[in-house]
Amino acid sequence: MSTVDPDACYGIAPGHRMQWEEVQQSWVILYPEGMVQLNDSAAEALRRCDGRTPLSSVITDLEAAFDEADLSADVLELIDAALQQGWVCLR
Amino acid sequence: MAHPPFFLHRSSFTAACDTMTDSPQEPLRPLWLLAELTYSCPLQCPYCSNPLRLGERARELATDDWLRVLGEARKLGAIQLGLSGGEPLLRKDLEVIVGEARRLGFYTNLLTSGMGMDEARIAALKDAGLDHIQVSFQADDPDLNNRLAGSDSFRKKVEVARRVKAHGYPMVLNIVMHRHNLDRMREILDMALALEADYVELANTQYYGWALANRDYLLPTRDQLQRAEAVAHDYQARFGDRMKIYFVVPDYFEGRPKPCMNGWGRIFLSVAPDGTALPCHAAADLPGLMLPNVRDHSLEWIWNDSPDFNYFRGESWMQQPCAGCDERATCFGGCRCQAYLLTGDAAAADPACSKSASHDVILEAVERAAGLRSLPQPIMRNKRNVARALRHPVGSPPGRADTPLSD
């Protein structure tokens, strides 16, 4: 069902901006006239999607950083949803 | 300008991302700051939601005032900035305002008719850090567009839309929809596709200000709306991956009010050209408001403590049928301005709601407009027509009461 490719590189979509919001104490993605507030785990994953790092490396890095065994399914699901929303794109 | 929609999405992923919800401990923040830089405009659209009294340019805030407002708003948590009007490009300091906003971390949205945008200006705005440009069109047909705008503007708009894309901005096309262009939904969306719009806002007319004075001229029929909505949904299904299409709900036809401003004093703060701070940009005509000005008060006081921003905050102001209604957290009672304009009571349920005792005024307006054999001439939005619009029986506010609304 998922069209997400673990070997591909994903990045924040053009016209979108991800930034830390001090007042909200959270990461947000901004786009024309809108905002999505990310929770910590989504933010950690999307921050690593820099358009140059393959998603598989992002997953490995997250697993190491948070000492979790298998985050693959969670991250693929996140990227799939983010692609559908247009927050990230294939690079 | 059109009544702006506001899209506030919160993440709702299942596994990797918790759904965020409002928690009572979280302070309210003016996430969306609408800076109405000027009410001057080269266009004369009869559906404009600006107040009937357009005000003088001499009373507009100075550059330094706006820069201070931006800093104060950002400290309160404002993050989306709408630069609007009137036509914001008429402000020669627009690039300075954009530059400061971007430096402060705002996502900067320019809402423009396109008039006054040239190659040098669009490049300078890009350099200043402008994030997004929304261009308004009146219709896809040049003659209809120009007639509705009261200005020979169509060719310029197309040129500007192409420049917006050439400079790599995300582009929203905003088209205010009404009786005179709803039947062209297909052609309008084809135009948006051809111009490579990233988003299209099909903004069904909201009846405030000039639009209310021109309601008989603008109100569509139910059949028109249904046909147009079907076309919009068809295009959403076919082209949704290329272009996001928002069909703003026409509240006169829905039986339910819009969640106006997502609730009074909840996420939205508007500053008028003369510095008046408002919980909704149409609120200046409500009775009993003190209309605090950013020249006299800090934005923090205005947002947190001013009587205006607290009048309709939360639910304690609600009467029946809103109080106790199981939908009140969805619609926040609808629009206070519409309640006042159409019922004379700003704390009444929005009459767009079928549960409102005054819902008949909406149904009658729709029925009357549908039955008109000949339409009235539009009152075009310009300074010459202010007195005429104010005399209009539907357009003018019920009369400003001197007594406060409530305590």
Side-chain angles (χ1 to χ4, degrees):
Chain A
M1 49 143 240
S2 172
T3 55
V4 181
D5 176 4
D7 297 325
C9 302
Y10 294 90
I12 300 299
H16 291 57
R17 199 163 81 225
M18 186 170 172
Q19 71 184 32
W20 170 255
E21 273 299 280
E22 190 62 31
V23 176
Q24 296 180 38
Q25 288 291 301
S26 72
W27 286 87
V28 297
I29 294 176
L30 302 168
Y31 50 90
E33 298 173 40
M35 172 183 91
V36 58
Q37 192 181 42
L38 301 167
N39 74 0
D40 293 344
S41 50
E44 289 299 335
L46 292 175
R47 277 172 66 193
R48 287 167 169 79
C49 294
D50 57 6
R52 296 185 304 270
T53 311
L55 193 58
S56 52
S57 305
V58 169
I59 293 166
T60 314
D61 188 32
L62 284 168
E63 287 166 350
F66 296 95
D67 198 20
E68 290 278 346
D70 188 8
L71 291 176
S72 184
D74 282 356
V75 175
L76 291 178
E77 187 182 350
L78 168 71
I79 299 301
D80 190 40
L83 276 169
Q84 280 177 34
Q85 295 288 338
W87 301 333
V88 301
C89 68
L90 199 58
R91 289 293 169 84
Chain B
M1 63 165 291
H3 211 66
F6 183 85
F7 305 109
L8 180 77
H9 298 302
R10 289 176 183 271
S11 44
S12 55
F13 304 137
T14 47
C17 187
D18 301 325
T19 303
M20 306 294 299
T21 51
D22 286 329
S23 75
Q25 298 90 337
E26 283 274 295
L28 296 170
R29 298 191 181 100
L31 295 172
W32 175 252
L33 175 66
L34 181 68
E36 294 187 313
L37 297 178
T38 178
Y39 284 143
S40 288
C41 187
L43 269 52
Q44 309 178 56
C45 310
Y47 54 70
C48 185
S49 65
N50 282 166
L52 297 177
R53 291 179 187 82
L54 292 169
E56 300 298 324
R57 290 217 70 182
R59 297 195 53 201
E60 288 178 3
L61 290 182
T63 311
D64 285 349
D65 293 325
W66 279 117
L67 301 189
R68 181 174 50 80
V69 165
L70 293 178
E72 291 181 9
R74 195 72 185 105
K75 284 203 184 99
L76 289 170
I79 189 163
Q80 285 281 348
L81 174 67
L83 297 160
S84 177
E87 175 47 66
L89 286 166
L90 289 173
R91 289 281 303 216
K92 294 193 168 55
D93 55 359
L94 181 61
E95 289 82 348
V96 177
I97 292 169
V98 167
E100 175 67 359
R102 186 66 181 77
R103 191 187 68 77
L104 289 166
F106 276 104
Y107 192 91
T108 50
N109 306 274
L110 176 65
L111 315 182
T112 178
S113 69
M115 307 303 278
M117 185 72 94
D118 59 20
E119 188 57 29
R121 205 123 198 240
I122 202 165
L125 287 165
K126 189 85 184 176
D127 287 344
L130 183 64
D131 287 299
H132 146 236
I133 300 180
Q134 180 195 105
V135 184
S136 70
F137 275 82
Q138 282 62 41
D140 65 291
D141 175 75
D143 290 340
L144 180 58
N145 183 94
N146 295 346
R147 191 149 44 85
L148 289 164
S151 138
D152 188 3
S153 55
F154 183 78
R155 255 190 351 182
K156 176 73 183 174
K157 286 168 178 287
V158 171
E159 174 201 306
V160 169
R162 295 204 172 113
R163 281 193 208 287
V164 169
K165 290 299 291 185
H167 281 267
Y169 290 98
M171 180 168 74
V172 175
L173 293 192
N174 177 288
I175 304 103
V176 174
M177 305 302 299
H178 44 74
R179 179 176 198 133
H180 305 276
N181 62 5
L182 273 164
D183 292 336
R184 302 191 62 83
M185 180 65 87
R186 190 173 300 281
E187 292 84 351
I188 286 169
L189 288 170
D190 285 342
M191 173 185 75
L193 284 168
L195 291 172
E196 297 177 70
D198 299 288
Y199 307 78
V200 185
E201 286 172 10
L202 302 163
N204 282 295
T205 305
Q206 313 268 336
Y207 296 96
Y208 304 92
W210 294 82
L212 185 57
N214 285 304
R215 194 172 61 178
D216 280 347
Y217 173 76
L218 294 166
L219 264 175
T221 65
R222 272 179 207 284
D223 284 351
Q224 265 189 307
L225 260 174
Q226 278 165 7
R227 285 196 304 268
E229 191 168 2
V231 172
H233 288 157
D234 173 46
Y235 273 64
Q236 278 169 337
R238 285 161 58 200
F239 304 106
D241 52 340
R242 276 164 64 185
M243 181 171 89
K244 285 196 179 169
I245 301 172
Y246 297 102
F247 190 81
V248 177
V249 166
D251 61 349
Y252 269 49
F253 296 84
E254 293 289 314
R256 284 294 177 275
K258 58 185 170 286
C260 192
M261 302 294 122
N262 277 298
W264 182 275
R266 206 162 152 269
I267 60 167
F268 185 91
L269 194 164
S270 175
V271 178
D274 70 353
T276 305
L278 296 161
C280 155
H281 57 285
D285 282 325
L286 288 176
L289 295 186
M290 69 172 282
L291 304 176
N293 195 293
V294 297
R295 294 184 219 255
D296 308 322
H297 300 280
S298 73
L299 218 55
E300 191 207 353
W301 180 85
I302 288 171
W303 178 256
N304 288 321
D305 301 321
S306 73
D308 286 18
F309 279 77
N310 285 293
Y311 259 133
F312 300 111
R313 231 177 211 149
E315 299 178 349
S316 57
W317 58 271
M318 287 182 179
Q319 313 170 3
Q320 294 301 331
C322 296
C325 177
D326 58 8
E327 295 175 75
R328 69 187 187 281
T330 308
C331 69
F332 308 104
C335 177
R336 299 303 85 226
C337 307
Q338 185 149 283
Y340 175 64
L341 288 166
L342 300 185
T343 76
D345 179 1
D350 185 331
C353 184
S354 64
K355 299 177 187 177
S356 157
S358 303
H359 187 52
D360 281 356
V361 301
I362 295 280
L363 298 177
E364 282 163 13
V366 170
E367 202 173 319
R368 186 179 61 246
L372 287 174
R373 285 171 184 278
S374 69
L375 291 181
Q377 286 297 310
I379 305 172
M380 302 303 278
R381 171 221 194 267
N382 59 47
K383 292 213 164 141
R384 290 187 312 281
N385 281 339
V386 167
R388 199 177 142 212
L390 282 167
R391 280 198 309 272
H392 193 277
V394 180
S396 57
R400 269 194 87 110
D402 292 326
T403 47
L405 294 168
S406 62
D407 282 315

